[in-house]
Amino acid sequence: MSIVLELLRPQAQTRRRPLRTSTTQACGLYPAVGSPSSDPRGVIIGREIYSGKAFIYDPFVLYDPSARERLPSGHALVLGKSGYGKSALEKCYVLRQLRFRERAFAILDAQGEDGVGEWDAIARAVGVKPIRLVYGGDGDGVRLNPLDARIPGKHQFSVLCSMVEILSGPLSSEARFALSIAHRAALERAVGEDRVPVLSDIHDALTRPGPGLLGKREVSEDQMVAWGQPASLAMDQLCSEERDLAGLFNGPTTEGIDLDAKLIVFDLTALPREGSAMPLLMSVIGPWLRWGWIKPGDSIKRTLIVEEAWHILSHRAVARLFEEFVRFGRRLGLSFWGILHHLADLRLAEAPEAEAILKLTATRVIYHMDRHEADITADYLQLPGWARDAITDGASRCAPGNAVWQVGQRVQLVEHIRSRIEVSLTNTNSKMTEIPREFPDTVPIIPMNSRAASR
């Protein structure tokens, strides 16, 4: 024994021959070795399928410098075919995040059934009444005024330009000048009459203008009428009682909208998905939330979730407004979530602002897609080969509830796990199933009105 000890003593360490292998084989050769977990602070989404570890996510935590791997932004993009869990993920994420004190959410709910939006059950569970927008502003519908005093004047003009472009096409320099003069005249008229300016004031100023002054050059009334004709035709669609868009924007903002609640749900299901109504609303609601919902100086972390976000990305005039909103998200304490089916129908090359919004998202959640859509998405998001194959496998790896999560540099396959109560509240397939939708007798959800949020 002493001879053996004498032989071992001079050795500083044992020596082993190196083993050459690939990353594909390494996970089988060393099954006990796994990648480090993400930051443990946040809400549990579910579990990582390959490692079995809990998957925890919070964009505000991951943006903090103390995070293990810091994200460049708190914005997220959720993609995938219908029926695979996009809506369930958003709703469960909101319900779980509402447990935190300094969290607030605004939802633009563009889908639904039985005449109400998908978020109606969630809103009822937490004691919130959705804000319903309808044509004409009748009944329970509400109106949003693009000239609301909460939106600064220079941003009001940007909103007006976007609305006119949606209805009449790109504005010429002359039309933009005529609209700026009309906007100024409308504000002066409203101040003189001690009231809030409305779109009818813009319409009147465009159709009956006074002479304008372009630098030192005087522009006649006839020239002002001609220059402002595209804008006046657009205003006619927004202001005339015989038009479909009447009541949505022309008039003071409906009173009683609680922008201090921790959960605000805008029910847009009464508006058609096609046509100009939805992009017009997006062009107004983005700046309206920017200046009315977000309070400078407070510590609330806010999340804006936009269903059917292609209404933003497919219209350059709307994307221009939202790009600024999203770009300054870190200053505003804002996390923007865009929900889409796929990227194949978007003409990103024609809308650089829309492409900028997509690039600002640091989290991408991809559910099952068909092969063609998966290839386009994987190429654009630079997903690894295994992730490209996974999102086309709707029967196994990306079965309903499973998704590929790209969080910064990490790419993982995650199973979203829901409780029985969450399944009841997030079920959107009741019309296609024979199983009756049952709600539990008691729902342990905290009411989220403004008074509860202030405690």
Side-chain angles (χ1 to χ4, degrees):
M1 179 65 69
S2 60
I3 297 175
V4 174
L5 292 176
E6 288 297 328
L7 292 174
L8 292 176
R9 191 172 288 117
Q11 296 185 359
Q13 62 181 16
T14 59
R15 296 176 181 272
R16 296 182 181 178
R17 296 177 58 189
L19 177 63
R20 296 184 178 274
T21 183
S22 66
T23 55
T24 304
Q25 297 167 324
C27 58
L29 293 172
Y30 304 101
V33 178
S35 62
S37 301
S38 59
D39 200 291
R41 299 169 293 172
V43 295
I44 296 178
I45 300 298
R47 69 180 182 91
E48 299 174 16
I49 289 180
Y50 292 135
S51 69
K53 295 181 294 186
F55 183 78
I56 300 172
Y57 178 76
D58 186 312
F60 299 106
V61 169
L62 294 176
Y63 182 79
D64 192 275
S66 64
R68 291 180 178 176
E69 293 185 26
R70 187 184 182 190
L71 292 182
S73 79
H75 307 313
L77 182 67
V78 183
L79 302 164
K81 296 178 67 174
S82 297
Y84 281 83
K86 297 193 305 296
S87 295
L89 170 67
E90 306 156 37
K91 295 169 186 173
C92 290
Y93 173 78
V94 170
L95 284 174
R96 296 171 188 179
Q97 281 280 27
L98 282 174
R99 294 288 184 177
F100 290 84
R101 266 189 177 176
E102 298 182 342
R103 296 288 190 270
F105 294 85
I107 315 296
L108 305 189
D109 184 7
Q111 301 190 64
E113 57 183 29
D114 295 332
V116 296
E118 282 190 359
W119 286 80
D120 186 72
I122 301 291
R124 287 191 290 109
V126 299
V128 171
K129 182 179 180 180
I131 300 169
R132 186 169 174 80
L133 287 98
V134 299
Y135 279 149
D138 298 326
D140 295 330
V142 301
R143 179 189 297 110
L144 299 180
N145 182 13
L147 303 180
D148 194 295
R150 284 171 283 199
I151 305 176
K154 65 177 182 179
H155 293 281
Q156 288 180 8
F157 181 67
S158 297
V159 173
L160 290 172
C161 290
S162 296
M163 297 178 78
V164 172
E165 288 182 353
I166 291 170
L167 293 170
S168 302
L171 284 176
S172 65
S173 299
E174 294 82 1
R176 189 177 293 269
F177 172 75
L179 183 58
S180 68
I181 297 297
H183 179 222
R184 188 187 313 158
L187 295 181
E188 293 174 353
R189 175 182 175 183
V191 170
E193 298 177 2
D194 192 23
R195 61 174 177 81
V196 176
V198 295
L199 290 183
S200 294
D201 297 325
I202 303 286
H203 192 203
D204 293 342
L206 285 167
T207 53
R208 290 180 293 182
L213 194 63
L214 182 58
K216 294 184 178 181
R217 171 194 170 190
E218 184 173 326
V219 183
S220 67
E221 294 183 12
D222 291 340
Q223 284 181 305
M224 291 294 294
V225 171
W227 287 5
Q229 185 175 13
S232 61
L233 290 173
M235 288 297 127
D236 181 70
Q237 295 188 53
L238 297 170
C239 300
S240 177
E241 295 182 358
E242 291 78 21
R243 300 299 186 117
D244 291 339
L245 298 172
L248 274 177
F249 309 106
N250 184 32
T253 298
T254 305
E255 296 182 359
I257 299 177
D258 186 3
L259 291 180
D260 293 324
K262 293 189 69 174
L263 176 63
I264 306 171
V265 178
F266 291 90
D267 186 346
L268 316 180
T269 55
L271 302 179
R273 296 188 187 183
E274 304 297 333
S276 57
M278 196 70 75
L280 280 170
L281 177 65
M282 296 295 182
S283 70
V284 175
I285 207 168
W288 194 76
L289 287 173
R290 162 68 178 88
W291 299 104
W293 179 47
I294 296 177
K295 309 295 191 299
D298 67 10
S299 57
I300 302 294
K301 304 295 187 296
R302 293 176 172 86
T303 300
L304 173 62
I305 297 180
V306 182
E307 302 274 7
E308 301 291 328
W310 64 272
H311 290 294
I312 295 173
L313 301 175
S314 296
H315 295 82
R316 188 173 184 182
V318 186
R320 189 183 306 124
L321 294 172
F322 268 83
E323 182 197 5
E324 182 179 1
F325 193 18
V326 173
R327 188 176 295 279
F328 293 107
R330 60 180 180 176
R331 300 183 188 175
L332 304 173
L334 175 74
S335 173
F336 169 82
W337 285 46
I339 317 301
L340 298 166
H341 290 292
H342 47 76
L343 299 177
D345 294 335
L346 299 179
R347 300 176 180 178
L348 298 177
E350 300 176 9
E353 295 85 359
E355 187 170 20
I357 292 175
L358 294 182
K359 289 182 177 180
L360 285 170
T361 58
T363 300
R364 286 78 176 261
V365 185
I366 307 99
Y367 286 86
H368 169 59
M369 295 180 176
D370 292 334
R371 170 59 69 176
H372 174 67
E373 297 165 356
D375 288 340
I376 294 175
T377 302
D379 289 341
Y380 185 83
L381 300 181
Q382 297 182 346
L383 297 177
W386 72 262
R388 181 192 300 259
D389 295 335
I391 60 180
T392 61
D393 184 5
S396 179
R397 285 173 289 181
C398 272
N402 296 351
V404 172
W405 282 67
Q406 183 186 43
V407 183
Q409 300 300 317
R410 291 173 174 266
V411 183
Q412 296 163 310
L413 188 60
V414 176
E415 177 189 9
H416 175 210
I417 298 176
R418 295 181 289 169
S419 68
R420 183 172 62 89
I421 293 173
E422 289 173 333
V423 170
S424 299
L425 290 174
T426 61
N427 179 26
T428 57
N429 297 319
S430 59
K431 291 293 184 181
M432 292 297 293
T433 60
E434 297 181 359
I435 302 175
R437 185 177 183 179
E438 297 180 356
F439 287 89
D441 295 333
T442 58
V443 182
I445 303 296
I446 301 174
M448 291 300 167
N449 53 37
S450 57
R451 286 177 296 179
S454 62
R455 292 172 187 168

